Amino acid sequence: MAQQDMHDDPQQLELLRVARIGRAQGLKGEVTVRLYTDDPEWRFEPDSVLYSQDGEAEYIVEGSRTFKDRWILKLEGVDDRNAAEALNGVELYGEVDDAEDMLEADEWYPKDLIGLEARLVEGNGLGLPAGQVVGKVVNVVDSPAQSLLKIRLTEPVVTGQNSKGEDVVEKTALVPFVEELVPDIDLEEQYLTLDPPGGLIPGL
């Protein structure tokens, strides 16, 4: 179960969301998890330490396994179904110290993405010029299914009129943060590329 104040200074941790605990699995304290990481084998190794969002609670991985494309975790101190069910909905965060490790695991801190210029990728499905600037990332929104990039559009678009006859201006767009739609991220040059389908981003 969660252990309090095990880290010297929890507030100094930089944490990345890796999973959300779902339903209990069986009677021995195992839980299913929804993944937010591309490298669960590394994240869920025995004795790995996961954290609550504020870094104040620790969850130590006792064991992990897969079953029908789902990951199942056994956390230390969670030894029966009641204890497992009590964790339903808890989000687990992992600490990453090395930027190169993050690149290899294809993981990013939201703060690294905010402020990046969003450009169209070469050979995009819309047939538009490569490098065309769409806007700037202003937020990373977590939804139950996936993370979304909130992009402030370079050119706001009139998408219709409201009941009063006033123009409705779309100033932002939400883009699912998946490799198919966001193929490249260059933190050094401060941009990312997009390959959006038609209709996802107003005006494109």
Side-chain angles (χ1 to χ4, degrees):
M1 189 168 290
Q3 300 178 10
Q4 300 291 331
D5 301 326
M6 294 293 289
H7 196 279
D8 290 339
D9 191 355
Q11 297 303 320
Q12 296 305 311
L13 291 174
E14 277 202 278
L15 300 174
L16 185 75
R17 186 176 69 158
V18 298
R20 174 184 290 148
I21 295 176
R23 295 179 178 179
Q25 175 75 21
L27 303 175
K28 297 181 179 180
E30 290 182 317
V31 294
T32 60
V33 294
R34 176 192 290 273
L35 296 184
Y36 297 108
T37 175
D38 292 327
D39 198 3
E41 292 86 356
W42 169 48
R43 290 289 186 183
F44 303 148
E45 286 180 341
D47 299 324
S48 294
V49 181
L50 301 172
Y51 299 89
S52 58
Q53 184 174 7
D54 58 12
E56 292 186 351
E58 291 185 355
Y59 302 87
I60 299 173
V61 178
E62 188 175 301
S64 62
R65 61 189 178 92
T66 57
F67 178 70
K68 294 184 177 179
D69 298 324
R70 289 184 302 169
W71 274 88
I72 297 169
L73 301 186
K74 173 67 175 68
L75 302 174
E76 283 190 9
V78 182
D79 297 321
D80 58 44
R81 188 174 182 85
N82 288 339
E85 288 178 343
L87 295 177
N88 195 338
V90 170
E91 295 197 327
L92 300 174
Y93 290 73
E95 182 182 8
V96 178
D97 296 320
D98 194 308
E100 290 186 6
D101 288 345
M102 292 187 70
L103 290 173
E104 289 178 10
D106 198 23
E107 295 175 335
W108 311 90
Y109 290 124
K111 68 178 180 61
D112 292 333
L113 302 174
I114 293 172
L116 297 186
E117 186 176 74
R119 309 173 184 173
L120 292 178
V121 72
E122 185 175 356
N124 62 81
L126 299 176
L128 295 173
Q132 178 176 324
V133 177
V134 175
K136 181 174 287 189
V137 179
V138 293
N139 199 6
V140 179
V141 181
D142 284 331
S143 74
Q146 61 197 166
S147 295
L148 302 167
L149 300 181
K150 185 175 184 180
I151 297 174
R152 180 181 293 128
L153 303 178
T154 300
E155 299 181 9
V157 179
V158 177
T159 58
Q161 292 186 330
N162 61 22
S163 59
K164 298 179 181 179
E166 301 166 330
D167 287 340
V168 177
V169 180
E170 198 74 45
K171 299 180 181 180
T172 62
L174 292 175
V175 176
F177 186 41
V178 294
E179 188 174 359
E180 291 79 8
L181 302 184
V182 189
D184 304 304
I185 298 173
D186 191 326
L187 297 183
E188 209 169 289
E189 297 295 327
Q190 287 290 288
Y191 76 90
L192 54 77
T193 61
L194 302 177
D195 189 7
L200 180 65
I201 298 178
L204 295 184

